[in-house]
Amino acid sequence: MGTKTISLADDAYERLRAEKRENESFSDVVRRLTEGTTLEEYYGTLGEDTADELEGIVSRRRTERTNESRDRVERIADALE
C-alpha cells in the first residue's frame, strides 16, 4: 500500500485530529469518517424548514468545535511557554 502527502489548513488538521481516537492513525480516521451511507441518499427526506434548522445547528456546532479546538491549542501552547 502506498502513501500520499497532503496539505491541510491548520483548522482542518485540528478538526481531523479532534476526531482521532486512541491508537488510531490519521488514515484510520479518514476511513472511519468516510465509510458508510452518504448524505445524498437522504436528499429530499426532510422538509425545508427542518433542513434549514438542522443546517443552522450543524453550522453553529462546527463553529463551536473550531473555537474549542483553537482554545485547546492555545492553552497547550501557553503551557509550553
Side-chain angles (χ1 to χ4, degrees), residues 13-72:
Y13 172 80
E14 291 303 324
R15 287 181 183 194
L16 186 61
R17 190 176 77 165
E19 293 293 332
K20 194 171 178 292
R21 297 175 181 166
E22 188 174 338
N23 298 322
E24 189 176 44
S25 70
F26 281 106
S27 292
D28 293 336
V29 176
V30 171
R31 286 184 195 103
R32 177 171 49 82
L33 295 176
T34 59
E35 70 184 1
T37 305
T38 63
L39 292 177
E40 288 82 13
E41 294 177 35
Y42 295 100
Y43 180 79
T45 303
L46 300 176
E48 189 171 333
D49 290 343
T50 304
D52 289 344
E53 181 180 354
L54 183 57
E55 186 175 16
I57 291 167
V58 169
S59 178
R60 284 190 300 277
R61 184 60 188 132
R62 284 181 178 156
T63 300
E64 290 169 6
R65 289 187 67 175
T66 298
N67 292 339
E68 289 167 3
S69 294
R70 186 177 300 115
D71 291 345
R72 187 175 330 122

